[in-house]
Amino acid sequence: MEMITQSIPVSLVHEEFGGSKYFRRGYRQVMLGLKTEEEIMGSSIYQSLIIQAVVFYLKTILPKKQYWVPTNEAGLHLHPKENMANDIVVIEKDKLPNPQSELYNNVPPKFIIEVDIKIDPIDYNTEPATDVSMSYIVEKSSKLIDFGVDGVAWILTRHQQVILARSQRNLEVYHWHETVPLFDEFSFCLKDILEEEGILPASVTDPS
């Protein structure tokens, strides 16, 4: 695949922070005319169902009068030229002064959950091209925690793991069958959530 030299449209920029722009996964195919922008904008069926199931679960365990749970790439404005898109956001209602605003939210959410990495994971500006997936997870999580977010959980479908980033802690890695802490007394077990929704087949219990 030949290198792309023309300018990249703003619509293909997924996020911008730390002095870098992160382009949507598949942007190179769009630039080469192999795909349309619409073909790379959405989530897969699997990712969409996971997001729906986790949002439904959070809305059943969190106090309704205390928290909102926005989704659908909820925009977050941290600082000038630092804007992020988040899959699932838990935000305290009393900290969001204008829920009818048409601007990006600029209030630190309580917790954020991401399902997979939506940016192109390869940096083609290096020689040879390098995988930036883990550095992206670390940098984005650090930016969010510095902004005031309690924690960030990354649900990774390929390896069925959850990477958890929290303030003053090392990154924690959980398998889907393990319980992942959120904040206060709240937690989630992704395997249980997905089995209850029928997204994953229910585990077979040993009759013995």
Side-chain angles (χ1 to χ4, degrees):
M1 189 176 291
E2 65 183 21
M3 292 298 293
I4 300 171
T5 57
Q6 64 263 49
S7 60
I8 300 174
V10 174
S11 58
L12 295 178
V13 177
H14 181 62
E15 294 176 313
E16 181 179 9
F17 58 87
S20 299
K21 291 181 179 180
Y22 294 92
F23 302 103
R24 293 182 181 274
R25 182 185 288 267
Y27 82 96
R28 285 172 59 85
Q29 290 91 330
V30 174
M31 296 296 292
L32 292 170
L34 302 176
K35 289 185 176 181
T36 65
E37 289 190 23
E38 290 74 16
E39 288 181 281
I40 71 167
M41 292 298 179
S43 299
S44 69
I45 293 174
Y46 194 26
Q47 292 167 332
S48 299
L49 289 176
I50 290 174
I51 292 170
Q52 173 264 320
V54 173
V55 170
F56 179 79
Y57 170 79
L58 292 175
K59 288 179 72 66
T60 62
I61 67 167
L62 297 176
K64 185 176 181 179
K65 293 185 177 181
Q66 192 172 350
Y67 296 102
W68 274 307
V69 188
T71 183
N72 192 29
E73 292 194 358
L76 181 63
H77 176 69
L78 284 71
H79 306 289
K81 294 188 178 180
E82 293 202 334
N83 298 290
M84 295 183 178
N86 306 121
D87 287 328
I88 303 171
V89 177
V90 177
I91 188 164
E92 295 157 294
K93 290 186 175 183
D94 61 1
K95 292 185 178 180
L96 197 63
N98 182 13
Q100 289 86 34
S101 174
E102 296 183 1
L103 303 175
Y104 274 13
N105 171 38
N106 60 2
V107 175
K110 184 72 174 175
F111 203 92
I112 288 174
I113 299 176
E114 302 283 10
V115 178
D116 287 330
I117 297 173
K118 303 299 192 301
I119 63 146
D120 197 295
I122 305 300
D123 182 359
Y124 297 101
N125 295 315
T126 60
E127 186 60 44
T130 56
D131 189 324
V132 297
S133 300
M134 199 61 209
S135 61
Y136 169 76
I137 288 176
V138 171
E139 184 173 3
K140 180 171 179 177
S141 300
S142 297
K143 285 280 185 182
L144 289 168
I145 290 169
D146 289 345
F147 185 59
V149 179
D150 281 12
V152 185
W154 294 81
I155 295 173
L156 304 180
T157 58
R158 189 172 190 180
H159 302 291
Q160 293 199 350
Q161 291 179 329
V162 177
I163 296 178
L164 178 63
R166 293 188 284 177
S167 179
Q168 306 300 318
R169 292 174 180 262
N170 294 327
L171 288 180
E172 304 164 57
V173 180
Y174 296 83
H175 295 287
W176 282 11
H177 67 272
E178 297 178 303
T179 299
V180 181
L182 290 166
F183 55 90
D184 299 336
E185 74 275 18
F186 303 112
S187 62
F188 72 97
C189 173
L190 188 62
K191 182 172 179 289
D192 289 348
I193 294 171
L194 300 186
E195 286 182 355
E196 185 175 351
E197 289 286 330
I199 299 168
L200 287 180
S203 300
V204 178
T205 303
D206 187 346
S208 63

